[in-house]
Amino acid sequence: NMAVHYVNRGSEDQTDVIVKADVREPGGSVTSYEVPIAVVTPGQDTLVNFPAYFPSPGLGKYDVVFSNNKFNESGDTVVASFEITEYT
């Protein structure tokens, strides 16, 4: 399963947080998941779990772009990759 940490770096509660995972497949398709979080208190580190993802048949590199609706600077997006080869 896919997961990412979300941390409230601010000094106020954050409400209606949306954490998103966009899976970019080798053929160009994108599968998106969103997980809502009602409240994140200041300094709170929340592990966000996404539903299971099952890749399309075929080989290639997959990129997962994690983002959110509260922090929008370039360093606030996390990219993870995995690759399916003839040996995996």
Side-chain angles (χ1 to χ4, degrees):
N1 290 344
M2 297 182 296
V4 69
H5 284 267
Y6 178 84
V7 179
N8 177 357
R9 300 185 314 252
S11 59
E12 303 285 330
D13 285 356
Q14 292 179 339
T15 58
D16 301 318
V17 176
I18 303 293
V19 181
K20 189 174 180 182
D22 293 315
V23 182
R24 298 179 181 163
E25 299 182 353
S29 296
V30 176
T31 300
S32 297
Y33 299 94
E34 291 185 352
V35 175
I37 305 171
V39 178
V40 183
T41 59
Q44 181 179 349
D45 182 343
T46 304
L47 180 63
V48 180
N49 290 294
F50 291 90
Y53 169 74
F54 299 98
S56 301
L59 307 177
K61 181 181 175 190
Y62 294 73
D63 293 317
V64 184
V65 180
F66 296 100
S67 61
N68 65 81
N69 67 332
K70 298 297 180 180
F71 298 109
N72 298 313
E73 296 181 23
S74 61
D76 297 324
T77 299
V78 175
V79 179
S81 299
F82 65 93
E83 189 166 353
I84 297 178
T85 69
E86 60 270 14
Y87 303 108
T88 55

